[in-house]
Amino acid sequence: MAWNEWEQLKESAAQKQSTGMRLNGLPPEDRPNAGRETGDLQVSQKDLAAIGDEAFKLYNRMWKEARVAETDAAGTALTKEGFALGGALKHVAARWDKQLNTLMDACALISNHMDFTTKAHQGDEIHIERHVSSIATLDAGFDESYAPPGEKNSVHGEKKDEKD
């Protein structure tokens, strides 16, 4: 009896669950931007500059406020006096410095990358603007062949006999 009951439970579970795979997306309710139609990332130069500026400010604050040079000196002094706490304090100070340097490096990297990204995008914008403006200049020479979409171009229409 137990085996039959197990088979029934497995069959019931299989019928309740869909085993289909969903590719290339999430259901709208699971998306953070469910109201947006497009998935394009849009960032302005102002946004990039603000991120870089905040990273630079954080780096400077950590340089001024988070470094604790006295801890290592205190650990050395306690060790000389025979306290076991001195070695532990020096160990904590070394780990703190290592972690702080990692964070400061990350802030510097973010700040520098945002500066680079801003300048790179400005260069891209200038390149695209120049390229598009040269196309517009070229297109201006072909205005006589222009016709709105779906309409016949009058320039290339039927020729009339001049004899009539």
Side-chain angles (χ1 to χ4, degrees):
M1 272 196 246
W3 187 255
N4 289 336
E5 185 178 356
W6 173 248
E7 290 297 325
Q8 288 174 352
L9 289 172
K10 284 187 350 185
E11 185 178 325
S12 173
Q15 289 174 355
K16 289 180 185 176
Q17 276 188 326
S18 170
T19 58
M21 184 182 295
R22 202 177 333 179
L23 296 176
N24 200 18
L26 292 171
E29 64 272 8
D30 291 341
R31 280 186 245 145
N33 300 342
R36 281 186 73 173
E37 291 295 320
T38 64
D40 295 337
L41 175 64
Q42 296 178 354
V43 180
S44 69
Q45 300 301 327
K46 185 178 178 182
D47 295 333
L48 294 174
I51 292 168
D53 188 47
E54 289 301 317
F56 182 72
K57 287 178 188 176
L58 183 58
Y59 176 89
N60 285 335
R61 268 194 76 194
M62 284 192 284
W63 178 260
K64 291 176 187 172
E65 300 173 23
R67 291 181 308 138
V68 188
E70 297 84 21
T71 307
D72 192 43
T76 302
L78 286 170
T79 302
K80 286 181 182 177
E81 295 295 324
F83 290 98
L85 180 62
L89 192 55
K90 287 175 67 170
H91 174 74
V92 169
R95 292 290 295 166
W96 178 262
D97 284 343
K98 184 176 179 181
Q99 296 296 322
L100 180 62
N101 287 335
T102 301
L103 285 172
M104 290 175 67
D105 288 347
C107 287
L109 181 68
I110 291 168
S111 178
N112 292 339
H113 185 69
M114 291 301 109
D115 289 344
F116 170 79
T117 302
T118 300
K119 290 174 185 170
H121 285 296
Q122 286 171 349
D124 291 344
E125 288 294 324
I126 291 169
H127 174 75
I128 291 168
E129 186 178 303
R130 285 181 182 163
H131 185 69
V132 169
S133 67
S134 67
I135 291 172
T137 303
L138 181 63
D139 284 347
F142 295 100
D143 279 345
E144 73 275 357
S145 65
Y146 172 75
E151 295 182 19
K152 290 186 178 181
N153 191 330
S154 61
V155 172
H156 301 290
E158 295 178 16
K159 291 185 181 181
K160 295 180 183 177
D161 288 336
E162 293 181 15
K163 294 180 183 177
D164 290 339

